[in-house]
Amino acid sequence: MAETFESQSSYQQLQAINDALSSGMYVHVRKMLHHMPAPDVAFMLESTPAKTRAVLWQLIDPEFHGDVLEELSEDVRNGIIRQMMPEKLAGALEDMDTDDLAELLRGLPDAIFQQVLQSMDEQDRVRAEQALSFGEGTAGFIMNTDTITLRPEVTVDVILRYLRLKGEIPEDTDAFYVVNRHDKLIGIVPVIRLLTATSDMTVEELMDEDAETIPVDMPEGEVAKLFERYNWISAPVVDAEDHLLGRITIDDVVDIIREEAEHSMMSMAGLDDEEDTFAPVMKSTGRRSIWLGVNLVTALLAAMVSDMFEETLSQLAVLAILNTIVPSMGGVAGNQTLTLVIRGMALGHVSPSNRRWLISKELAVGALNGIIWAVLIAGVVALWKQDLALGGIIAFAMMINMLAAGLSGATLPLLMKKMKIDPALAGSVILTTITDVVGIFAFLGTATLLLMP
Amino acid sequence: MAETFESQSSYQQLQAINDALSSGMYVHVRKMLHHMPAPDVAFMLESTPAKTRAVLWQLIDPEFHGDVLEELSEDVRNGIIRQMMPEKLAGALEDMDTDDLAELLRGLPDAIFQQVLQSMDEQDRVRAEQALSFGEGTAGFIMNTDTITLRPEVTVDVILRYLRLKGEIPEDTDAFYVVNRHDKLIGIVPVIRLLTATSDMTVEELMDEDAETIPVDMPEGEVAKLFERYNWISAPVVDAEDHLLGRITIDDVVDIIREEAEHSMMSMAGLDDEEDTFAPVMKSTGRRSIWLGVNLVTALLAAMVSDMFEETLSQLAVLAILNTIVPSMGGVAGNQTLTLVIRGMALGHVSPSNRRWLISKELAVGALNGIIWAVLIAGVVALWKQDLALGGIIAFAMMINMLAAGLSGATLPLLMKKMKIDPALAGSVILTTITDVVGIFAFLGTATLLLMP
């Protein structure tokens, strides 16, 4: 984990900017920012507390506002654009890629959105409205429209002359798309193939006819899986009649992959995916309190189960002392299973044909773990409290709870997906409630049956 | 979350293969596998229980073994190659990309590794040994050596003639590298620039001289960050004297990004990153038991804290009932902070210059959340148990524990990184231990002081 040259220099830049800001050397900061590439400026903004961020933003040359906005995460970007004048914002959006433009406009409150749209020039407005017409999170929403199309009968020689005349090819172009006279996609020609072809060959001879296409309404998660599985750099997007609409490039897909993978981790801890590390205190407190509220209800539920055994607890204080061990172990074991199944589902590995196998497997793991830890805890408790019966009781409860953990860890995400609830968001809370209630009930219940007169 | 055409058809294929396997129609399965692209075959293997996986593997045409191995995740791949004959394995590795070859060889037990190396032909062995000479997880380890190099004085015309003669260009080539007569990299020429250039221009006129390069010993995580930040498709890898060694392409980087993002989620649940969802029961039980063992020690520690207050608990059973609420809330709040800081560190946003701000912020969030939930729980307990003093005591303990949660959630990952311990792996356990101990101690301690005679 050694810090390399690169991140060292990023941190040094950040430190230098912070130092200059706190000594009020705004002109100096402005100059430093001016010499940085847009992604680096975005990095500085992301790594800065929200208040200072507003000051920094003012010091960036307005000409680069659009480039920097493109690179920011949603939460940070929304914070900034809500404070910008609509006309200025419209100006910043001028040269933005279609996909970034659509995403950004969606983050705006309705009133500002209308103002920004009206401040745009005709061409940009049409482009924005078109991109917004596709559903959020679909292929249409993340595609770009800067494709170069060829006709099948044209020769390599003609194409090369045309390209030299044009003088510029969109960034990241790795293929040209071949369309017929009805604008339907009939093939693709990889850029490198033009370089090895002889000048009299036609596009028809060069093109791949069975190239894969992406339907415009495919969810972005599916798009990402395709790119990942087949190692694509770009892919054409088509409508239901195979008309070419645009292309999706790997750089946008990388963001989706990162977001999807982070989504599970953040959700399982009860955080918003886009939560900004440097958001103001009030905003963070508000966001996190929902989850804490849910957990309070869960904790009270567990307390109520204990409450049912008040009589037992008042006579045997030792039970109160050991009462947290079984629920705790069940929670950890259940969360292991839950996490594994959620990841398996995200990767598409869990399917109807192997579901049953997976549930049996996790039950078997639960049973085995149950035996191991039941024996161990029985020994520890029997030695510590000099009470064999107590050891037996906690071992039995452990066994029951480990099975409950394996079963609910494996079935909960599958059930929740069927009910269209995000398992990463709610799975962990429901699971812990189950393992708490089952654990306490099994332990105190058995103890009451066996130890109470 | 609608299932689309793509995954539907993957699931249907999987179902069809499973059905055919269980009815013993091996010839049919062999034929189906033969018509699938390698990534799809890999997907089938990943989604299949370990036992059936071995059968499936036997039915794949040995000619495609190498292609399929390239696409498998580490855990699944290692399971397969450990059962292959060394000579067969050497055969499968013949046409493999250098980076995949090195990764795969590293997964082998020493004895088999030597046998495989000896079964390889001269050229492959040299290639493998070279790739293995770079440290695992560095740029050198994930690079490919299939670059096309140009000399600065050559003209476009000559290059195009050369490429036509050569007839083939490595997949995903988006740039040619310009080297001087000492093989030092002096610039790059994007492929698309060759298409728009006139035929008498020289490489020197076309090339970018200030293109970014990657040092061969840069950690792969840093490489991934650069690709992500600057939207690269590929980048040249050089040694300390700027000699061109190879190139890294985005498809390998995508895997690293996915693995890095998953690493935190899996580690926080106490799972191995590469844990295979369909591993055999014994293997899974063994792997998960380490974490359960650590948790047992933690749970016993919390029980020992309760044990210190046995006298109090035996006289006031109500304390036993409420004893889990404060630790539980502290655990959730602490884990929120911990997760956010770990993600911030992974993205590189947390740095020496904003560390102090971040800790103060999380303390403030903890204090605010402490006040909110202290007031709420005081009300609930006062109403439920008709005891104002008890409400006050639990509120005080909640306040203390929320502060402890915010402070340890923010400082633990920073401390652990300094001590070179992975915060995702151990952070959550240590944090929960702290919030359990502080929560129980604050609650039962205050109760003992105020309520006991």
Side-chain angles (χ1 to χ4, degrees):
Chain A
M1 310 253 288
E3 272 165 23
T4 63
F5 163 73
E6 189 276 322
S7 60
Q8 279 290 15
S9 84
S10 271
Y11 289 157
Q12 280 165 6
Q13 282 184 321
L14 190 60
Q15 186 68 56
I17 285 192
N18 272 324
D19 290 347
L21 271 184
S22 52
S23 18
M25 297 161 67
Y26 295 136
V27 180
H28 183 57
V29 174
R30 191 190 296 270
K31 211 179 281 173
M32 285 174 72
L33 290 171
H34 190 76
H35 289 290
M36 261 182 224
D40 292 0
V41 176
F43 181 83
M44 299 294 139
L45 288 168
E46 296 267 1
S47 313
T48 304
K51 259 190 203 161
T52 324
R53 200 178 272 159
V55 180
L56 261 188
W57 181 253
Q58 298 298 331
L59 297 174
I60 299 169
D61 187 341
E63 209 177 301
F64 298 117
H65 275 170
D67 295 335
V68 176
L69 283 176
E70 274 188 76
E71 305 288 339
L72 287 175
S73 69
E74 200 179 316
D75 211 32
V76 174
R77 183 172 56 207
N78 286 349
I80 288 175
I81 56 183
R82 275 156 202 240
Q83 292 174 1
M84 283 176 84
M85 301 289 292
E87 308 80 54
K88 280 203 178 173
L89 185 52
L93 305 182
E94 254 167 32
D95 297 314
M96 198 171 276
D97 281 350
T98 324
D99 56 337
D100 293 313
L101 184 65
E103 200 196 330
L104 194 147
L105 287 174
R106 259 181 221 248
L108 292 176
D110 253 4
I112 303 184
F113 171 72
Q114 290 302 337
Q115 288 178 339
V116 171
L117 216 57
Q118 272 155 30
S119 314
M120 283 178 156
D121 66 29
E122 182 64 21
Q123 194 194 345
D124 277 341
R125 188 160 52 237
V126 171
R127 219 160 52 98
E129 279 168 349
Q130 202 210 344
L132 284 167
S133 70
F134 300 110
E136 189 166 1
T138 64
F141 194 67
I142 54 169
M143 76 180 179
N144 272 312
T145 49
D146 56 354
T147 53
I148 295 189
T149 54
L150 306 174
R151 281 298 169 79
E153 64 276 7
V154 184
T155 61
V156 170
D157 194 39
V158 174
I159 298 169
L160 288 179
R161 263 188 291 149
Y162 163 74
L163 291 175
R164 275 175 202 148
L165 212 72
K166 195 165 145 47
E168 207 177 283
I169 297 180
E171 226 188 320
D172 294 347
T173 296
D174 69 328
F176 301 112
Y177 299 120
V178 189
V179 293
N180 66 14
R181 68 190 67 197
H182 308 295
D183 257 348
K184 287 195 184 185
L185 185 74
I186 55 174
I188 73 166
V189 177
V191 167
I192 49 177
R193 203 168 293 168
L194 276 189
L195 293 179
T196 52
T198 52
S199 53
D200 58 340
M201 285 178 88
T202 63
V203 166
E204 199 159 13
E205 293 172 90
L206 285 174
M207 70 184 185
D208 279 338
E209 280 168 72
D210 49 0
E212 301 276 347
T213 58
I214 294 177
V216 68
D217 55 356
M218 182 180 266
E220 59 179 19
E222 294 293 323
V223 175
K225 271 185 210 154
L226 288 176
F227 269 80
E228 217 178 332
R229 198 192 292 184
Y230 301 112
N231 294 336
W232 292 342
I233 300 294
S234 76
V237 179
V238 295
D239 66 12
E241 283 85 39
D242 269 343
H243 293 116
L244 180 68
L245 298 177
R247 66 181 181 124
I248 292 177
T249 47
I250 182 79
D251 55 313
D252 296 312
V253 174
V254 164
D255 295 340
I256 295 166
I257 290 172
R258 151 92 54 203
E259 277 161 26
E260 287 225 323
E262 271 182 0
H263 165 79
S264 303
M265 173 173 105
M266 299 288 277
S267 302
M268 287 182 87
L271 295 165
D272 196 289
D273 291 26
E274 283 282 342
E275 172 134 6
D276 158 20
T277 320
F278 299 95
V281 173
M282 292 303 290
K283 198 172 167 193
S284 291
T285 308
R287 280 189 172 177
R288 293 190 213 166
S289 60
I290 304 163
W291 205 241
L292 286 164
V294 172
N295 187 64
L296 186 66
V297 174
T298 305
L300 281 171
L301 206 72
M304 280 173 198
V305 177
S306 291
D307 197 49
M308 290 163 61
F309 300 95
E310 188 172 8
E311 182 63 26
T312 314
L313 285 166
S314 71
Q315 288 185 37
L316 294 163
V318 68
L319 296 179
I321 290 159
L322 303 174
N323 196 19
T324 48
I325 296 176
V326 174
S328 158
M329 292 293 280
V332 169
N335 263 313
Q336 287 181 331
T337 302
L338 185 80
T339 306
L340 203 68
V341 175
I342 288 176
R343 197 208 36 168
M345 283 166 52
L347 295 176
H349 292 163
V350 178
S351 69
S353 64
N354 54 31
R355 251 186 330 224
R356 192 175 288 188
W357 186 91
L358 192 61
I359 295 173
S360 330
K361 178 203 156 173
E362 290 300 328
L363 260 178
V365 172
L368 258 178
N369 267 327
I371 293 169
I372 297 172
W373 302 110
V375 169
L376 243 157
I377 192 70
V380 170
V381 166
L383 281 174
W384 182 20
K385 293 293 171 191
Q386 296 293 320
D387 188 337
L388 260 179
L390 199 59
I393 289 167
I394 201 170
F396 173 74
M398 182 78 86
M399 191 69 219
I400 298 286
N401 208 24
M402 285 303 210
L403 282 173
L407 186 64
S408 42
T411 50
L412 266 180
L414 296 166
L415 271 176
M416 296 177 82
K417 202 190 168 186
K418 261 205 181 143
M419 296 162 66
K420 309 224 180 274
I421 306 172
D422 178 3
L425 192 62
S428 186
V429 166
I430 300 182
L431 177 109
T432 314
T433 309
I434 294 173
T435 49
D436 276 2
V437 168
V438 170
I440 294 174
F441 205 87
F443 181 56
L444 294 183
T446 319
T448 304
L449 277 178
L450 296 183
L451 302 179
M452 293 295 283
Chain B
M1 310 252 291
E3 272 164 22
T4 63
F5 162 74
E6 190 276 322
S7 61
Q8 278 289 13
S9 85
S10 270
Y11 288 158
Q12 280 163 8
Q13 282 185 321
L14 190 59
Q15 185 69 58
I17 284 191
N18 272 323
D19 291 346
L21 270 184
S22 51
S23 17
M25 297 160 67
Y26 294 137
V27 180
H28 183 57
V29 174
R30 191 190 295 270
K31 211 179 281 173
M32 285 173 71
L33 291 171
H34 190 75
H35 289 290
M36 261 180 220
D40 291 0
V41 176
F43 181 83
M44 298 294 140
L45 288 168
E46 296 268 1
S47 312
T48 303
K51 258 189 204 164
T52 325
R53 200 178 275 159
V55 180
L56 262 188
W57 181 253
Q58 298 299 330
L59 297 173
I60 299 169
D61 188 341
E63 208 176 303
F64 298 117
H65 276 170
D67 295 336
V68 176
L69 283 177
E70 274 187 74
E71 305 288 339
L72 288 174
S73 69
E74 200 178 317
D75 211 32
V76 174
R77 184 172 56 208
N78 286 349
I80 289 175
I81 56 183
R82 275 155 202 241
Q83 292 174 2
M84 284 177 85
M85 302 288 291
E87 308 80 53
K88 280 204 177 172
L89 184 52
L93 304 182
E94 254 168 31
D95 297 316
M96 198 171 274
D97 281 351
T98 324
D99 55 338
D100 292 313
L101 186 63
E103 199 195 330
L104 194 147
L105 287 174
R106 260 182 220 247
L108 292 175
D110 252 4
I112 303 184
F113 171 72
Q114 290 303 336
Q115 287 180 335
V116 171
L117 215 57
Q118 271 154 30
S119 313
M120 283 177 154
D121 66 27
E122 182 64 24
Q123 193 193 344
D124 277 342
R125 188 160 53 236
V126 171
R127 219 160 52 96
E129 278 168 350
Q130 202 209 343
L132 284 167
S133 70
F134 300 111
E136 189 167 1
T138 64
F141 195 66
I142 54 168
M143 76 181 180
N144 271 312
T145 48
D146 57 353
T147 52
I148 295 189
T149 53
L150 307 173
R151 280 297 169 79
E153 63 276 7
V154 185
T155 62
V156 170
D157 194 38
V158 174
I159 298 170
L160 288 179
R161 263 187 293 149
Y162 163 74
L163 290 175
R164 274 175 204 148
L165 212 71
K166 194 165 146 47
E168 208 178 280
I169 297 180
E171 227 188 320
D172 295 347
T173 297
D174 70 327
F176 301 111
Y177 300 120
V178 189
V179 292
N180 66 14
R181 66 190 68 196
H182 307 295
D183 257 347
K184 287 196 184 185
L185 184 75
I186 55 174
I188 74 167
V189 178
V191 168
I192 49 177
R193 203 168 294 169
L194 276 189
L195 293 177
T196 52
T198 51
S199 53
D200 57 340
M201 286 177 87
T202 63
V203 166
E204 198 158 13
E205 294 172 89
L206 285 174
M207 72 183 184
D208 279 337
E209 279 167 73
D210 49 0
E212 301 277 346
T213 58
I214 295 178
V216 69
D217 55 355
M218 180 180 267
E220 59 179 20
E222 293 293 323
V223 175
K225 270 185 211 154
L226 287 176
F227 269 80
E228 219 179 329
R229 198 192 293 184
Y230 300 111
N231 294 335
W232 291 342
I233 301 293
S234 76
V237 179
V238 295
D239 67 11
E241 283 86 39
D242 269 342
H243 294 116
L244 180 68
L245 298 176
R247 66 182 180 123
I248 292 176
T249 47
I250 181 81
D251 56 313
D252 296 312
V253 174
V254 163
D255 294 341
I256 295 165
I257 291 173
R258 151 94 53 205
E259 277 161 27
E260 287 226 322
E262 271 182 0
H263 166 79
S264 303
M265 173 173 106
M266 300 287 277
S267 302
M268 288 182 86
L271 295 165
D272 196 289
D273 291 27
E274 283 282 341
E275 171 133 6
D276 158 20
T277 320
F278 299 97
V281 172
M282 292 303 290
K283 198 172 166 191
S284 292
T285 307
R287 279 191 172 175
R288 294 191 214 164
S289 59
I290 304 162
W291 205 241
L292 286 163
V294 173
N295 186 66
L296 186 66
V297 175
T298 305
L300 281 171
L301 206 72
M304 280 173 198
V305 177
S306 291
D307 197 50
M308 292 164 60
F309 301 97
E310 188 173 8
E311 182 63 26
T312 313
L313 285 167
S314 71
Q315 289 186 35
L316 294 164
V318 67
L319 295 180
I321 291 161
L322 302 175
N323 196 20
T324 50
I325 297 176
V326 174
S328 159
M329 292 293 280
V332 170
N335 263 313
Q336 288 182 331
T337 302
L338 184 80
T339 306
L340 203 69
V341 174
I342 287 176
R343 196 204 41 164
M345 282 166 54
L347 295 176
H349 292 163
V350 178
S351 69
S353 64
N354 53 30
R355 257 191 320 230
R356 191 175 287 190
W357 186 92
L358 192 61
I359 295 172
S360 331
K361 179 204 155 172
E362 290 299 328
L363 260 179
V365 172
L368 257 178
N369 267 325
I371 294 170
I372 296 172
W373 302 108
V375 169
L376 244 158
I377 193 68
V380 170
V381 167
L383 281 175
W384 182 20
K385 293 293 170 191
Q386 296 292 322
D387 188 337
L388 260 178
L390 199 59
I393 289 168
I394 201 170
F396 173 74
M398 182 77 85
M399 192 69 219
I400 297 288
N401 208 23
M402 286 302 212
L403 282 173
L407 186 63
S408 41
T411 49
L412 266 181
L414 296 166
L415 270 176
M416 295 177 82
K417 202 192 167 185
K418 262 206 180 142
M419 296 162 66
K420 309 223 181 274
I421 306 172
D422 178 4
L425 192 61
S428 187
V429 166
I430 300 181
L431 177 109
T432 314
T433 310
I434 294 175
T435 49
D436 275 2
V437 169
V438 171
I440 294 174
F441 205 89
F443 180 55
L444 295 182
T446 319
T448 305
L449 277 179
L450 296 184
L451 301 179
M452 293 294 282

